Amino acid sequence: MSVSRRTFLGGGLAAAAVAATGTPLLTACGASQNDVAAANRAVRLPTFTKYAGVTPDLPSDGVVLDGFLKYPANPVRAITEAPGNGRPITFLTNIPGAIPPAADRNQFWQALNERLGSELQISMASNDEYKDKFATRIAGGDLPDILNIPVDTAQIPGLVKAKCLDLSEHLSGDAVQKYPFLANIPTDFWKGCVFNGAIYGVPVPRGMSRTSLALYREDLLAAKGIKDPRPKNFEEFFDLAKELTAAKQNRWAWTRVPLSTIRQMLGVPNVWKENGGKFSSSYEDEANQEALESGRKMVAAGVVNPDAFNDKASARKQWFNGGIAAFDYDSFVAWNQYYADNTAGDAFAVNMLDVPGGTPWMGGALNNVTAFSKDSKHSPETLLKIANWMAAPFGTEEYLFRKYGVAGRHYTLQGTDPIPSKAGVVETGIGLQYISDAPLSLYWAGKPEVPRKQHAVQQKIAKQLVHDASYGLYSDTQSKKQAQLARTMTDLETQIIQGKKPVSDWARGVADWKAAGGDKMRSELEQALADTAGK
């Protein structure tokens, strides 16, 4: 399943939230769907004001991200006053890497607390364990001051209505200018923070940075004499995969079956498509049959690592870094992470293919929504100042500290570029990016060719990107049932591409999906769109 698709928590979290709030979450809103949609439509989203204090080497156009060939010299400290109030502030979050040393053994965390003017107490869990921890905390009513809410959380409207602060008066329209780095987050990202006719959180933006395509090991392809791969269709794409496979040498073209890439080649929608107020799901597109046939063909030809169906994402990343596989389907964020995890030395180089003959999917708008507990003893202003500090953009001194730590311990300067030390990698990974974050800038310390390549790819795909039409719309059925239904569909497609079931079973699977909730999701999304449009 593509990383740009949404997957949703099942009924367990919804049940936990009901236990915490004492009421089913959607009805906790206390209004009909139509009334809620009208109230959401009336919300004034924060006024976007792009930060002008740093000039990128490779400018954004509103879709393509800003790129920097080096870190700006003498970065400006943009916030002169500590945002905290001297009292501890608690935060619950996931961590994408290993759990870092605790604050009493973590010099970065200690320096952070000093800068914030408040001790930041972070309760963290790995990505795999976070949703269970989140559900447990919600069910127990034990909420921190700052809460990282995954966008696929079941029935968010009732949860935030019952447990979180309404931030509208502080963020609507020009009010956000009091927090200039929150104002630097483009308006569209705030749509995912509006519930019950109010702004209930701060967005952690992704969008283009989370857009995923076929990443490839440029150095491995170059060793085969392939310098600028541009397959125009599936057959050329397949031929390239066969050329890069040498199973006897433990080398395969792909870390997994590139179904998302194949679907994009064939014009399959990005989650949901809308036309004239009518919605259709990516599952329903007839091109899925051809995509599944093509996936089966790649498996049968042996161009995919045979362990792809058994191992987790972490294993796939190791295969790519270790040269066991030349291609992986992932995002611009992952592109940078591959350089961070590189074990191949200076020769290691990554690039990205455009979709051969098709249209790429825009990445999901948000990583998470950051909300503040109603029971917090801190003022909304204090918590928003903390979020604003965390959103200071690339090129500022705050960003340099937040991402790289303290010079001498966590990084050394190579010219003006911060090169992380081992201590820097270990100690800085405490999840600050999930309180708030600036839109990603394209950059890799000491390697200006990385942002150049990334910027060139983004310029190529920017006008072709296909968006998920359901973004900013709420379906209660989708919120509660999509996780289980998506797992069922993923299991079916896996069995089909492995040759364990015929492609014809897909149509039956789609019919079952529709009956089990897909049709209801569609009607709810259509109604939400009509209500939001004021029809």
Side-chain angles (χ1 to χ4, degrees), residues 415-433:
T416 61
D417 286 320
I419 308 299
S421 66
K422 187 174 289 187
V425 172
V426 170
E427 293 187 2
T428 59
I430 63 176
L432 301 183
Q433 70 270 33

Side-chain angles (χ1 to χ4, degrees), residues 164-408:
C164 302
L165 289 172
D166 176 349
L167 302 173
S168 303
E169 67 174 291
H170 306 282
L171 296 173
S172 291
D174 291 341
V176 75
Q177 302 302 322
K178 184 176 179 182
Y179 310 100
F181 298 131
L182 298 183
N184 184 54
I185 299 173
T187 301
D188 196 55
F189 293 114
W190 291 92
K191 292 178 183 177
C193 299
V194 174
F195 308 99
N196 316 307
I199 300 172
Y200 272 96
V202 171
V204 174
R206 289 297 182 263
M208 179 62 103
S209 64
R210 204 45 88 62
T211 294
S212 295
L213 294 168
L215 287 170
Y216 66 90
R217 283 284 301 274
E218 196 172 37
D219 53 319
L220 298 182
L221 270 67
K224 288 266 194 183
I226 305 168
K227 299 223 171 155
D228 186 18
R230 295 189 185 186
K232 298 182 184 65
N233 51 44
F234 175 74
E235 287 308 318
E236 291 185 11
F237 180 77
F238 186 33
D239 288 342
L240 178 61
K242 288 188 282 190
E243 188 173 354
L244 290 162
T245 297
K248 290 182 179 178
Q249 284 80 50
N250 200 37
R251 292 180 183 274
W252 289 270
W254 277 91
T255 61
R256 54 177 161 167
V257 182
L259 261 183
S260 293
T261 300
I262 297 169
R263 282 173 163 141
Q264 290 171 51
M265 289 185 205
L266 297 170
V268 173
N270 180 1
V271 189
W272 286 97
K273 177 181 179 180
E274 181 268 324
N275 184 20
K278 300 298 182 183
F279 278 73
S280 57
S281 165
S282 60
Y283 295 135
E284 299 172 283
D285 195 285
E286 291 183 359
N288 276 297
Q289 306 270 349
E290 184 178 345
L292 290 165
E293 288 283 10
S294 297
R296 284 163 70 100
K297 192 174 178 181
M298 294 187 78
V299 172
V303 300
V304 178
N305 189 316
D307 292 325
F309 299 103
N310 304 318
D311 287 319
K312 296 181 178 178
S314 56
R316 295 198 299 268
K317 292 180 186 300
Q318 290 169 8
W319 301 336
F320 188 80
N321 264 325
I324 292 172
F327 283 91
D328 187 34
Y329 178 81
D330 219 321
S331 68
F332 289 94
V333 173
W335 186 334
N336 278 14
Q337 189 61 44
Y338 275 130
Y339 275 97
D341 297 338
N342 166 34
T343 57
D346 290 340
F348 183 84
V350 176
N351 212 325
M352 192 180 255
L353 288 182
D354 192 359
V355 178
T359 50
W361 296 333
M362 174 63 108
L366 303 183
N367 182 81
N368 64 281
V369 174
T370 296
F372 306 143
S373 171
K374 277 184 178 177
D375 296 330
S376 175
K377 305 301 182 189
H378 300 280
S379 69
E381 290 86 354
T382 294
L383 299 177
L384 284 166
K385 283 180 183 178
I386 294 290
N388 182 67
W389 189 91
M390 297 294 174
F394 187 94
T396 62
E397 195 275 341
E398 288 82 1
Y399 183 100
L400 179 63
F401 169 78
R402 196 172 75 248
K403 300 292 186 181
Y404 295 95
V406 177

Side-chain angles (χ1 to χ4, degrees), residues 501-525:
K501 288 189 176 182
V503 173
S504 58
D505 276 11
W506 183 256
R508 187 180 306 118
V510 172
D512 291 344
W513 170 85
K514 291 168 67 177
D519 280 340
K520 196 166 182 187
M521 292 181 208
R522 180 199 335 280
S523 64
E524 289 172 357
L525 290 171

